[in-house]
Amino acid sequence: MKKQNTFIVGLAVLVAVSVAFWLMLVAPMYTGNEINMTRGVSSLSREHYSLHMIILWVCAVIGILVFTAMFTSIVLHRKSKGHEPAQFSHSTKAEIVWTIIPVLILIAMAIPATSALVKMETPTGAEMTVKVTGFQWKWKYEYLEDEVGFVSTLAADSNAARQLGSGIDPTSVDNYLLAVDKPLVLPVGRKIKFLITADDVIHAWWVPAFGWKRDAVPGFINEAWVRIDEPGTYRGQCAELCGKDHGFMPIVVEAVEEDEYVAWVESQTVAHVAATEEAQRAWDFDELMDRGESVYASQCATCHQDDGQGLAPAFPALAGSTVATGPLEEHIRVVLEGREGTAMQAFGDLLTPSDIAAALTYTRNAFGNETGDVVQPSDIAGINKG
Amino acid sequence: MSSITGDDVTIGHDEAHAHDDHDHKPEGFLARWVFTTNHKDIGTLYLVFALLMFFIGGSMAMVIRAELFMPGLQLVEPDFFNQMTTMHALIMVFGAVMPAWVGFANWMIPLMVGAPDMALPRMNNWSFWILPFAFTMLLSTLFMDSGGPAAGWTLYPPLSLQTGDSFAFVVFAVHMMGISSIMGAINIIATIMNMRAPGMTLLRMPLFVWTWLITAYLLIAVMPVLAGAVTMLLTDHFFGTSFFNAAGGGDPVMFQHIFWFFGHPEVYIMILPAFGVVSEILPTFSRKPLFGYAAMVYATASIAFLSFIVWAHHMFTVGMPLEGELFFMYATMLIAVPTGVKVFNWVSTMWKGSMTFETPMLFSIGFVVLFTIGGLSGLMLAISASDLQYHDTYFVVAHFHYVLVPGAVFTLMAGAYYWLPKWSGNMYSERWGKIHFWLSTISVNVLFFPQHYLGLAGMPRRIPDYAPQFADFNMWSSLGGFAFGLSQLIFVGVVIHCVFFSKQKATAQVWEGAKGLEWTVPSPAPHHTFTTPPKVTAGMVAHADDH
Ligand code: HEM
Ligand SMILES: [Cu+2]
Ligand SMILES: [Cu+2]
């Protein structure tokens, strides 16, 4: 009689607890929001997804059992129902059972977890290599087998909308905060190795569809790999706090078919050659100011602001600054080499000599800085070597 | 009972004037509170301080949740947002949870082991009074030109080295907190080891005493490690060393190893005393001895040991060798075993008891359920391959808040309701206590559960703004956050009412099922207790003696 009572209440509680778990783990899906890890588009991401689902269900079942026992007790063993307290205080048998069973579950879990990790850590046999370098707050990509490389930053419309009190509705911006000016273009089907590092502070490169993130640590090179199965656009973000604009350095990968990729590399190589030639000719003032204005907007304005007034105390004003109006060579060095211990980074590896020359010409002649100086790409290249 | 209320006290007192003052409380505010060496008064100071810090750290959380209420930046600049997340965590960890546990230790350990006071009363005073200075200094950095620390409570270099001159104050504040914690820990160990009443053998000690004893060893082991780590940051920042600067031959990842060698035991420093409190409260309100007392002690000790060898599970994405990642994954998974033993033992304690559901019991049951959820998500995080997805997302934020808020904070509340009648001599309002519990429990889940979805769907942590696809759950989370924050004001009301206005006097026993030495002294507990040690016999403590 008593036994049966416990059993029936237990069953009812089991149903109730299971419904609660369903409400927490499954039902929110029907709000139309994504609530689970992506399956992604690579063998690694699918493996990490299925590990996640296994361990999630193992945890759910353990949770359901524990809570069922507990709430059954709460329903039955109340003083208000006149339940007399038992006085037992241990049971060696029970304690051995609930030590051994979790150990067995964990061993069972460890097997697939180990094999997934081994796969992840085997970047051998790669068919191409991309070097990824994190900067505050942008990503630089270099295709090591080709003469291709560029810097990728937050798209201009997102950047305008994300300013404090911009008045621009984020939902009106395409892929708000997840769009960039230049996406990383990659071929599907090839095993691609990434060499990941950083220039200033630690960042982390994360595209959820690839199934992993990896820290970008200054002075160290980390490896990771992916073989993308399907063409498409895959978006991610920096995943390690890297300063004020950590939330604003997204990653966009454009995965394309092999032939499309080859054509894209071709076009980039042509552009690269053009850039080299451009660095060797002499530019006129208006041309430099024009280019400088756009380089300034994308590279410098996040800190020094559009009007060159900076943001005290961390980000000094360029308007009237002793550097931007002082001797040219020192100005060039600060921009090329950065200022250690501050957010001012070394742009020498980040921008082409033409871009730097343009940005310098612009800052020396805008915001009321009337030096009249015209900085040529060759001036920059000269100092960069020295 | 006259032998234990201590009518003729002699320790550390000027006896000339105090003879007929029954309680022997020092007169005057300064003497009573600033120069105090009394464990009860120092305990009260710690608890009040911790509550204040809880509200300061909590307001910062409100700023964070308000900014995250919807996409776009509406309220604060990103850099200030980062200062808020960093300060929120530092204040909550070092200012609220840790001092609150030391406050409980001060009040309860001497009462539980039958000692007249802490072993080192003057040091006790000092270890408390360092804290207001440390936190004033830490908070003052928010008003300095270079702003407060904004690199996260983990202070990873090189980013933390970009903090301006205020960084020196942050490091010094951390040093002071460390000194305070170490002194507190030494005092607790000395008290437990030397001042137990006759008959209070180690394996008769209440679990709260056991868990604090083990916690105190963890503190002594890891606070110096943290102090070393921040000192190296200090010299890297100001004196040109390169401990963590790769360009100078240093290693930024080394900092993370050192930090987490401190940091993982630190999370157990915050939760082991919670295990102890729950192990006191569940037997009381189940009217049944704690199940598996000895197993609980050994599980606590194994958790403490394992906590030293799992630190790099916070660093699975940092680029460790495969063997290292495997080791830290297996070791972390192993922690789930003793943790499971604890949960099973709590449920077995309730099983076939005769339960009533006063506020302390409600908070303890809430703890068992919600801490288990946090423990299970911890087990998920231990799987290093899938952690490559979870790491540094809102999933992790949800995990550690489940173990810290309905984990540590709920047990602090449970303990406060449980012992408040003993401290104040009055009963609190059970009705408002229950309202506090239900509002907290509902709102804390609305606040943190959706963060699991956000993290899995790809939202990184420590960002001030997010893509619109994350908007719905962030809004829920913020609403839950505001509700949780407001609900905590009820607690303040309940405490003030209980201490100053409640007409309902507490008995010595307070709770029908309560066992243990603290319930043998009158309520409120007199200023001096156990000046003649009590004799402890089997059956006087909250667990059976027959393990
Ligand atoms: C079953 C027990 C537990 C396991 C297996 C576990 C596992 C983990 C793992 C693997 C992480 C790293 C996640 C990542 O960053 O990718 C983590 C983070 C964290 N855990 Fe736990 N955990 C457990 C219990 C606890 C407890 C009891 C506390 C504190 C009371 C706690 C507090 C934290 C905190 C504060 C973090 C985040 C630290 C940060 O990155 O800022 N955990 N946990
Ligand atoms: Cu970042
Ligand atoms: Cu840990």
Side-chain angles (χ1 to χ4, degrees):
Chain A
M1 170 68 208
K2 196 89 201 270
K3 269 260 150 67
Q4 212 172 0
N5 195 12
T6 308
F7 182 75
I8 290 168
V9 172
L11 213 57
V13 171
L14 177 65
V15 172
V17 170
S18 306
V19 170
F21 267 72
W22 183 85
L23 284 174
M24 300 279 255
L25 298 182
V26 183
M29 218 162 67
Y30 302 109
T31 61
N33 287 290
E34 191 50 68
I35 63 162
N36 202 0
M37 184 189 287
T38 171
R39 274 195 182 77
V41 291
S42 77
S43 57
L44 287 177
S45 68
R46 277 190 300 274
E47 195 148 347
H48 297 173
Y49 170 80
S50 63
L51 262 180
H52 157 68
M53 289 314 283
I54 300 171
I55 187 75
L56 176 64
W57 286 117
V58 168
C59 288
V61 170
I62 298 174
I64 289 173
L65 294 179
V66 171
F67 298 151
T68 299
M70 185 167 156
F71 284 105
T72 304
S73 179
I74 289 176
V75 171
L76 291 173
H77 309 140
R78 319 172 147 241
K79 193 182 175 201
S80 58
K81 290 201 163 167
H83 191 270
E84 287 295 321
Q87 287 304 319
F88 64 85
S89 70
H90 69 256
S91 151
T92 312
K93 203 158 66 187
E95 288 175 73
I96 290 178
V97 170
W98 65 50
T99 311
I100 303 276
I101 291 180
V103 170
L104 297 179
I105 296 174
L106 291 178
I107 291 174
M109 258 330 292
I111 296 167
T114 304
S115 84
L117 197 64
V118 170
K119 236 172 262 166
M120 169 74 204
E121 298 298 351
T122 316
T124 47
E127 292 149 87
M128 65 178 277
T129 311
V130 177
K131 184 175 171 213
V132 178
T133 311
F135 290 82
Q136 278 173 321
W137 293 277
K138 51 202 137 224
W139 295 100
K140 179 180 177 183
Y141 300 113
E142 291 161 275
Y143 295 68
L144 294 191
E145 289 84 3
D146 300 292
E147 289 270 297
V148 177
F150 55 87
V151 172
S152 177
T153 52
L154 181 65
D157 50 351
S158 284
N159 195 34
R162 65 108 174 167
Q163 303 301 327
L164 180 60
S166 70
I168 304 171
D169 176 8
T171 53
S172 72
V173 178
D174 264 355
N175 292 303
Y176 177 61
L177 297 188
L178 294 178
V180 296
D181 54 353
K182 282 190 211 133
L184 175 66
V185 178
L186 294 174
V188 299
R190 286 203 217 173
K191 184 166 184 176
I192 304 162
K193 179 158 91 177
F194 295 95
L195 299 178
I196 301 172
T197 185
D199 180 72
D200 35 42
V201 301
I202 302 174
H203 306 260
W205 200 78
W206 182 33
V207 177
F210 294 174
W212 46 263
K213 61 180 69 69
R214 183 111 300 176
D215 290 1
V217 184
F220 290 77
I221 294 179
N222 273 328
E223 295 187 352
W225 67 276
V226 69
R227 190 193 300 273
I228 308 170
D229 293 340
E230 291 165 34
T233 305
Y234 305 114
R235 298 172 197 277
Q237 282 177 270
C238 176
E240 176 65 52
L241 178 61
C242 55
K244 78 176 177 66
D245 286 350
H246 163 57
F248 309 104
M249 51 183 291
I251 296 153
V252 179
V253 174
E254 209 73 71
V256 297
E257 297 291 356
E258 181 66 29
D259 46 352
E260 215 180 310
Y261 174 72
V262 173
W264 178 82
V265 171
E266 190 74 15
S267 70
Q268 293 297 303
T269 318
V270 172
H272 182 81
V273 173
T276 329
E277 277 167 8
E278 170 174 85
Q280 282 153 1
R281 73 177 168 83
W283 291 46
D284 68 40
F285 180 74
D286 291 339
E287 214 181 348
L288 285 165
M289 286 298 280
D290 254 15
R291 168 82 80 99
E293 188 168 358
S294 73
V295 173
Y296 183 85
S298 72
Q299 304 294 329
C300 321
T302 32
C303 296
H304 297 292
Q305 306 300 302
D306 284 330
D307 56 4
Q309 293 302 329
L311 261 186
F315 308 115
L318 297 186
S321 109
T322 49
V323 176
T325 56
L328 179 61
E329 182 164 339
E330 197 198 324
H331 190 184
I332 295 178
R333 276 200 195 284
V334 170
V335 174
L336 287 179
E337 292 156 18
R339 275 258 166 86
E340 220 179 312
T342 72
M344 179 64 191
Q345 59 201 197
F347 285 92
D349 292 335
L350 208 54
L351 300 177
T352 63
S354 334
D355 283 341
I356 295 179
L360 283 164
T361 308
Y362 178 73
T363 46
R364 294 178 80 78
N365 295 286
F367 332 120
N369 293 350
E370 281 164 7
T371 60
D373 289 344
V374 178
V375 188
Q376 290 295 344
S378 53
D379 299 337
I380 308 295
I383 291 190
N384 218 356
K385 282 192 201 85
Chain B
M1 284 287 157
S2 69
S3 71
I4 43 186
T5 55
D7 272 11
D8 30 32
V9 188
T10 48
I11 5 168
H13 258 289
D14 160 13
E15 282 181 62
H17 72 283
H19 259 296
D20 32 15
D21 170 355
H22 180 82
D23 241 7
H24 293 247
K25 287 196 184 86
E27 278 161 32
F29 186 82
L30 270 187
R32 169 89 193 266
W33 296 109
V34 179
F35 302 126
T36 176
T37 55
N38 179 286
H39 74 104
K40 299 187 184 78
D41 286 350
I42 294 178
T44 304
L45 287 172
Y46 265 111
L47 291 171
V48 171
F49 176 80
L51 190 61
L52 181 68
M53 287 295 136
F54 179 60
F55 281 102
I56 294 178
S59 331
M60 294 173 179
M62 295 297 110
V63 174
I64 296 169
R65 278 319 323 168
E67 180 54 64
L68 292 173
F69 186 73
M70 54 190 207
L73 286 180
Q74 291 84 24
L75 301 172
V76 295
E77 289 288 353
D79 187 57
F80 186 73
F81 181 91
N82 291 343
Q83 294 180 32
M84 285 293 103
T85 53
T86 306
M87 280 292 203
H88 159 73
L90 290 172
I91 300 267
M92 284 301 196
V93 169
F94 295 102
V97 176
M98 290 169 70
W101 285 131
V102 183
F104 274 93
N106 259 292
W107 251 105
M108 299 320 299
I109 288 177
L111 285 179
M112 287 179 145
V113 301
D117 205 309
M118 296 295 280
L120 308 159
R122 286 198 178 75
M123 189 163 93
N124 205 9
N125 174 293
W126 191 26
S127 60
F128 170 76
W129 277 108
I130 286 181
L131 288 179
F133 294 95
F135 283 91
T136 307
M137 186 148 81
L138 181 64
L139 284 167
S140 73
T141 60
L142 286 175
F143 304 97
M144 293 180 187
D145 271 354
S146 52
W153 81 287
T154 48
L155 298 174
Y156 283 4
L159 183 62
S160 59
L161 300 174
Q162 289 183 357
T163 317
D165 288 346
S166 65
F167 193 63
F169 294 89
V170 176
V171 169
F172 194 46
V174 171
H175 281 156
M176 285 165 69
M177 296 165 203
I179 291 171
S180 162
S181 293
I182 291 170
M183 290 198 299
I186 291 173
N187 214 340
I188 286 165
I189 293 174
T191 307
I192 298 174
M193 288 314 196
N194 300 311
M195 313 229 343
R196 294 193 314 277
M200 180 57 80
T201 57
L202 282 177
L203 279 179
R204 243 183 220 161
M205 295 195 313
L207 243 121
F208 180 68
V209 179
W210 257 115
T211 51
W212 237 121
L213 179 64
I214 293 171
T215 303
Y217 280 109
L218 291 184
L219 275 169
I220 292 182
V222 301
M223 293 312 288
V225 176
L226 175 66
V230 296
T231 307
M232 287 186 269
L233 286 179
L234 185 80
T235 62
D236 271 12
H237 191 309
F238 295 100
F239 304 110
T241 56
S242 301
F243 290 111
F244 306 127
N245 173 2
D251 179 350
V253 176
M254 188 52 137
F255 176 85
Q256 302 186 17
H257 283 291
I258 303 172
F259 181 87
W260 286 112
F261 184 82
F262 145 81
H264 194 79
E266 169 67 22
V267 307
Y268 283 98
I269 287 167
M270 292 187 278
I271 205 71
L272 292 185
F275 292 170
V277 166
V278 169
S279 306
E280 302 298 325
I281 294 175
L282 290 178
T284 296
F285 296 97
S286 307
R287 295 168 178 75
K288 186 166 157 284
L290 181 69
F291 186 88
Y293 170 82
M296 289 300 229
V297 172
Y298 299 134
T300 311
S302 2
I303 290 175
F305 169 75
L306 288 172
S307 78
F308 284 108
I309 57 166
V310 298
W311 75 86
H313 67 209
H314 297 269
M315 302 166 58
F316 283 140
T317 64
V318 91
M320 270 185 290
L322 176 63
E323 298 74 18
E325 294 193 340
L326 289 175
F327 171 81
F328 286 108
M329 170 169 80
Y330 300 146
T332 306
M333 291 168 79
L334 211 54
I335 281 207
V337 176
T339 313
V341 166
K342 295 210 153 252
V343 173
F344 300 142
N345 283 2
W346 287 323
V347 175
S348 309
T349 302
M350 295 161 69
W351 190 257
K352 288 190 189 266
S354 174
M355 280 185 264
T356 50
F357 302 93
E358 289 85 346
T359 311
M361 181 67 164
L362 289 177
F363 271 105
S364 299
I365 293 175
F367 163 86
V368 177
V369 174
L370 301 176
F371 173 80
T372 301
I373 293 178
L376 291 171
S377 62
L379 185 56
M380 296 175 71
L381 291 165
I383 310 296
S384 52
S386 25
D387 184 65
L388 300 180
Q389 291 278 41
Y390 307 136
H391 177 69
D392 260 334
T393 68
Y394 259 84
F395 189 81
V396 174
V397 178
H399 156 70
F400 66 76
H401 281 98
Y402 261 86
V403 285
L404 286 171
V405 181
V409 173
F410 267 33
T411 44
L412 285 164
M413 295 298 172
Y417 282 108
Y418 187 52
W419 284 306
L420 199 53
K422 176 59 61 192
W423 298 338
S424 67
N426 301 327
M427 295 306 286
Y428 60 87
S429 159
E430 198 56 65
R431 184 172 161 196
W432 282 100
K434 284 187 175 144
I435 293 175
H436 175 211
F437 167 76
W438 284 110
L439 287 176
S440 299
T441 301
I442 294 166
S443 57
V444 87
N445 284 293
V446 178
L447 164 57
F448 293 123
F449 209 83
Q451 295 184 355
H452 291 111
Y453 315 141
L454 288 170
L456 292 175
M459 179 169 161
R461 64 189 281 209
R462 294 168 165 171
I463 55 175
D465 191 7
Y466 48 83
Q469 75 225 41
F470 302 123
D472 286 4
F473 290 128
N474 269 297
M475 189 174 288
W476 287 28
S477 183
S478 289
L479 290 172
F482 302 143
F484 184 79
L486 288 175
S487 309
Q488 302 323 302
L489 297 174
I490 299 175
F491 178 69
V492 179
V494 173
V495 172
I496 291 177
H497 166 265
C498 173
V499 174
F500 298 108
F501 303 103
S502 172
K503 298 271 174 311
Q504 202 190 339
K505 297 293 163 216
T507 61
Q509 169 84 8
V510 184
W511 310 108
E512 185 187 43
K515 280 190 171 176
L517 289 180
E518 77 262 39
W519 309 109
T520 63
V521 304
S523 305
H527 203 55
H528 294 292
T529 38
F530 297 131
T531 45
T532 340
K535 275 241 153 35
V536 183
T537 53
M540 279 177 80
V541 281
H543 50 85
D545 222 18
D546 59 346
H547 31 267

